[in-house]
Amino acid sequence: MVMHLIISVLFAITVLLAFMEDRLKETHKLIILAMYAIVMVTLATVKDIEHTADAENYVLMFYNNDDPLVEIATEPTYIHLSRIVLACGGTIAVMFFIYAIIAIPTKLKTLSKLTPYVFTALTIYIPVYFELHDMVQIRVAAAAAFLLASLIPLAKKQYLQATLLMTGGIMFHYSAASFLPFLFIGNRKLNQSLRIALAIAVPACFVLYLMKKDMFSLIPASLTEGKLDFYQQSSERGAWGELTILYKNVYFLVKCAMLYLCLYFYDYIVKRQPLAPLLINLFASSILFLMLMSTIPVVASRISDLYGIVDCIVFTFCLYVIKPLPLAKAGIAAIGFYMLIYNMIAAEYFT
């Protein structure tokens, strides 16, 4: 309850700043973001283990890092960091701090580079991905930070730097390997045919979702053995649970509507945001993978949420096409507010 209250206050402040950010100087924005980083890292470090989803699983992995099942299912970074922290007499809070100090400042800094509307972006990021990643799925949070940071060099065709950052993400969570295909796609613009194909792909994949058909029939069982067993046994309820029925998932439906908005105003958005092609591709992939991998909710949600780290930036594209500007910002804030309330009631991140 206390965590919900603190995050609610942080969200309320963010909404106020979102309406003021056009009048804020860049230096003031950076100072405020630095203060945000301090608060958010602190929250992620001192969270109540007993009342935060997945925290007890991380404790078990921390103290049982020599268990064969844990070693198979967990990235070497977590295993080795656990051993180092334990050897130095540290506790699980030290691990939470290490992951938070890697993930949160990196993401805030990158967001400030990717959009001039950073506080508007945070009205989505805080109630969705700060709660889901930084507070709960700390390994994914660190991986997502590296992947987000890789987008700028990738768009500039600095492939070595982008590859190194993606590799860093993979070291923190194996699911980050799903970003590698974007090394070949890059920031290429979508022609009209591809935009039409994407528009058709959403309802087509939804039909497959309803038929309970997905991509796992194409993946050899040997590649998923052990990893999926561990996820199913650990039952990360706050992060996973049963896959939400997508046609009742308001946030998913809003994302679909946002994708169609981006495709319709594509040329205009690209003029305002040079990285829009890459961001829209990732945004669309987040939607499609949630449907195409739905028979194994753990993997579907993990990859969809990893791609979804760009959600908060893509939602700011509304500010380019919807006028007046305050109306667009109010709409984005309303979506963030909905997710804030939803997470308090249904997500069970903090009990």
Side-chain angles (χ1 to χ4, degrees):
M1 196 67 184
V2 174
M3 193 60 69
H4 282 310
L5 179 61
I6 296 172
I7 293 176
S8 297
V9 171
L10 188 65
F11 175 78
I13 294 170
T14 305
V15 172
L16 291 175
L17 288 169
F19 282 94
M20 297 168 51
E21 63 187 332
D22 292 328
R23 298 189 293 273
L24 292 174
K25 295 181 180 179
E26 288 302 314
T27 51
H28 294 161
K29 286 185 180 181
L30 292 175
I31 292 170
I32 295 170
L33 287 174
M35 295 171 64
Y36 265 65
I38 293 170
V39 172
M40 294 164 80
V41 168
T42 301
L43 290 176
T45 301
V46 302
K47 59 193 172 190
D48 186 343
I49 293 173
E50 292 183 2
H51 296 94
T52 302
D54 282 8
E56 291 186 358
N57 288 326
Y58 279 107
V59 172
L60 290 173
M61 290 189 293
F62 177 70
Y63 289 107
N64 298 281
N65 54 64
D66 55 349
D67 184 285
L69 181 59
V70 173
E71 288 185 331
I72 290 172
T74 309
E75 294 73 21
T77 45
Y78 191 87
I79 297 297
H80 294 308
L81 281 172
S82 296
R83 291 170 180 172
I84 292 170
V85 171
L86 280 171
C88 295
T91 65
I92 188 64
V94 177
M95 288 292 288
F96 291 155
F97 174 77
I98 291 171
Y99 276 80
I101 202 68
I102 291 170
I104 294 170
T106 302
K107 282 186 278 192
L108 292 179
K109 181 179 179 181
T110 306
L111 287 176
S112 69
K113 292 180 178 179
L114 287 171
T115 177
Y117 301 109
V118 62
F119 294 108
T120 302
L122 288 176
T123 61
I124 296 294
Y125 173 75
I126 289 173
V128 182
Y129 291 101
F130 174 64
E131 289 201 35
L132 175 64
H133 285 171
D134 301 298
M135 296 298 295
V136 178
Q137 302 166 6
I138 63 172
R139 290 176 295 148
V140 180
F146 278 91
L147 297 177
L148 196 63
S150 74
L151 299 184
I152 296 174
L154 179 57
K156 293 179 179 179
K157 298 183 179 180
Q158 298 170 348
Y159 296 116
L160 177 59
Q161 185 179 350
T163 302
L164 290 174
L165 286 167
M166 288 185 185
T167 302
I170 294 168
M171 292 179 68
F172 281 95
H173 202 281
Y174 294 137
S175 64
S178 62
F179 254 64
L180 292 176
F182 288 93
L183 283 171
F184 304 97
I185 299 171
N187 197 39
R188 295 176 187 171
K189 292 184 178 180
L190 294 169
N191 58 35
Q192 189 174 18
S193 297
L194 288 174
R195 297 201 295 270
I196 292 171
L198 263 182
I200 295 172
V202 174
C205 290
F206 189 74
V207 171
L208 291 175
Y209 160 77
L210 293 175
M211 296 171 62
K212 298 185 178 180
K213 303 290 185 182
D214 66 14
M215 297 171 58
F216 283 105
S217 59
L218 304 176
I219 301 176
S222 59
L223 296 180
T224 60
E225 186 177 0
K227 183 70 173 175
L228 294 180
D229 290 341
F230 178 78
Y231 279 135
Q232 291 166 353
Q233 289 174 20
S234 60
S235 299
E236 298 173 310
R237 297 181 185 278
W240 308 119
E242 295 183 0
L243 185 65
T244 303
I245 300 173
L246 293 182
Y247 51 80
K248 294 183 179 180
N249 185 330
V250 174
Y251 186 66
F252 172 78
L253 296 176
V254 170
K255 284 183 64 169
C256 290
M258 187 66 211
L259 175 61
Y260 282 108
L261 184 74
C262 290
L263 294 176
Y264 185 80
F265 291 101
Y266 182 83
D267 292 327
Y268 182 73
I269 291 171
V270 169
K271 289 178 183 178
R272 300 289 302 274
Q273 169 56 273
L275 268 69
L278 176 57
L279 295 169
I280 292 172
N281 275 330
L282 283 164
F283 187 73
S285 298
S286 173
I287 293 169
L288 296 175
F289 271 88
L290 190 57
M291 294 183 284
L292 288 174
M293 296 180 146
S294 60
T295 58
I296 302 185
V298 170
V299 179
S301 299
R302 183 74 83 189
I303 294 178
S304 177
D305 291 339
L306 194 61
Y307 288 158
I309 194 65
V310 302
D311 286 5
C312 56
I313 308 167
V314 174
F315 272 102
T316 65
F317 294 171
C318 289
L319 306 182
Y320 303 142
V321 298
I322 297 176
K323 304 299 177 184
L325 195 63
L327 178 63
K329 291 192 175 189
I332 297 170
I335 297 165
F337 180 70
Y338 168 81
M339 288 305 297
L340 185 74
I341 299 301
Y342 175 83
N343 287 338
M344 287 183 186
I345 298 171
E348 297 182 355
Y349 295 146
F350 315 113
T351 57

